[in-house]
Amino acid sequence: MRITLVHGDITEQPVDAVVNAANSSLMGGGGVDGAIHRRGGPAILEECRTLRSSRYGEGLPVGQAVATTAGDLPARWVIHTVGPVHSRAEDRSHLLASCYREALRVADELGAATVALPAVSAGVYGWPSDDAARVAVTTVRAARTRVAEARFVLFTADVYAAFERALLAAGPSDEEIAARLAAQPGERWRELFALADALTPADLEVTWRGGQEAGPGVTQAPYPVYGDAVERILGLLGELGVVVVFGWPDWVRGNPLWPGGRGLEDAPVADAARLATAIVRGERFGDGTIGHALETGTLQAVLRRLRRWHDEERPR
Ligand code: APR
């Protein structure tokens, strides 16, 4: 899926589906909602009324999405979703993420290939632009969807700039990372997997040095020492382009291997690269990240996913 950014009016986008930042009543409002109903005409409101008199008698819940006709818009459908109102006291990011995930799920049900999306909740609902952009981009980037183009349409220059920053922080796409891995020489991959196969429990040992007096009142900070095999594996992960440049501190908050995460086995190989990056880069922010990854089996899970990609998915 391609993610594109447009600085403009979402009602002017010739796409299959336009996502509306609606409210639960589905009866229209201001902002995107007002523009879509104004430009799309009464047919949209008619179908919203039907939805309210049937499936959504209580209104469309926050984080959910439902489709109607696009009326006179240059699109086939409008996918209405209700963003959460921003709160300082409560983290509602999961509800904002749900808007995008559900909108793409509905788009898949419709067979929409191109979808225009606004910065949900970033207007009247007061969500700070940078965080609204981060949630939007990371959620859409991680979504398993058949949509070919997710086009964020940003009305104001400041929100457009926030999405540009978020896209940069999200780093290369799954496809770009996989292409970079595929371009690496086969013998380097074979060396990496041979090292991984030969790892013994002793190789996974971490010894801590330092911690001794280094002068009056000065103690050298303790630091981890990893075995040669692990050091060579880490070096190869760098040389093979597995360590990528992206905003890993944000990404790793949704670590696929954490409880409730979707795991790595069925994730794109790019997620194995992103996780390897968080492990390697994390070591610079706090000694022992690599040791912890060895202890929890996270680094081994990354190596397993890279090998499955190499053996089964890498273009021949
Ligand atoms: N095209 C693209 N983006 C737009 C457009 C447009 N025509 N009009 C406004 N926007 C932008 C806003 O600048 C903001 O960045 O969409 C983002 C979301 O703003 P809102 O439309 O206010 O949506 P939201 O913050 O989710 O609040 C939803 O506002 O309009 C009412 O009925 C709606 O009650 C609901 C609430």
Side-chain angles (χ1 to χ4, degrees):
M1 166 182 59
R2 272 180 322 121
I3 294 181
T4 55
L5 303 184
V6 167
H7 180 186
D9 184 333
I10 203 164
T11 63
E12 294 170 359
Q13 303 302 315
V15 290
D16 293 331
V18 176
V19 175
N20 179 22
N23 60 57
S24 290
S25 76
L26 292 177
M27 292 294 109
V32 175
D33 204 1
I36 284 176
H37 281 280
R38 240 186 344 271
R39 173 96 191 253
I44 300 176
L45 193 58
E46 268 320 295
E47 287 198 14
C48 287
R49 283 210 177 90
T50 308
L51 288 166
R52 282 301 314 277
S53 62
S54 54
R55 233 170 106 196
Y56 294 102
E58 304 296 311
L60 181 66
V62 174
Q64 291 192 22
V66 69
T68 64
T69 174
D72 305 325
L73 294 181
R76 295 178 62 188
W77 301 284
V78 171
I79 298 174
H80 306 265
T81 190
V82 181
V85 176
H86 183 253
S87 156
R88 286 186 200 296
E90 182 197 349
D91 179 3
R92 296 172 179 163
S93 314
H94 64 290
L95 289 171
L96 185 55
S98 172
C99 288
Y100 292 104
R101 213 174 289 124
E102 285 302 297
L104 289 175
R105 184 186 57 74
V106 171
D108 281 340
E109 280 174 4
L110 298 166
T114 54
V115 180
L117 307 105
V120 175
S121 293
V124 164
Y125 284 176
W127 208 284
S129 316
D130 273 326
D131 197 53
R134 177 187 64 80
V135 174
V137 168
T138 50
T139 306
V140 169
R141 166 64 63 77
R144 301 276 149 270
T145 171
R146 289 186 303 283
V147 166
E149 181 193 0
R151 181 184 309 176
F152 285 108
V153 184
L154 299 324
F155 204 53
T156 55
D158 60 325
V159 176
Y160 181 86
F163 271 72
E164 267 187 326
R165 287 191 293 273
L167 210 46
L168 209 60
S173 67
D174 293 357
E175 295 75 14
E176 286 161 342
I177 291 175
R180 195 178 306 170
L181 300 183
Q184 303 305 320
E187 68 269 11
R188 279 284 167 84
W189 286 111
R190 284 187 288 282
E191 182 189 356
L192 175 69
F193 300 134
L195 282 164
D197 285 344
L199 279 177
T200 64
D203 289 325
L204 304 183
E205 291 293 315
V206 180
T207 46
W208 285 80
R209 298 240 173 91
Q212 69 273 5
E213 283 292 307
V218 177
T219 309
Q220 188 191 22
Y223 59 91
V225 176
Y226 302 108
D228 292 346
V230 167
E231 287 294 354
R232 182 62 189 131
I233 284 174
L234 297 169
L236 277 167
L237 292 177
E239 292 164 32
L240 287 163
V242 175
V243 176
V244 291
V245 177
F246 81 114
W248 59 268
D250 265 340
W251 180 83
V252 81
R253 286 196 305 194
N255 183 331
L257 291 183
W258 276 345
R262 64 160 174 267
L264 213 45
E265 280 314 298
D266 299 326
V269 68
D271 275 358
R274 294 184 182 111
L275 189 48
T277 302
I279 294 167
V280 171
R281 296 258 193 263
E283 185 82 2
R284 299 194 188 155
F285 286 79
D287 279 339
T289 312
I290 294 169
H292 183 257
L294 292 169
E295 209 177 284
T296 55
T298 303
L299 189 60
Q300 295 87 318
V302 165
L303 292 167
R304 276 197 303 277
R305 183 64 189 87
L306 287 170
R307 188 204 301 268
R308 192 157 71 74
W309 164 81
H310 178 269
D311 296 348
E312 300 169 20
E313 301 163 31
R314 184 170 62 116
R316 293 291 172 224

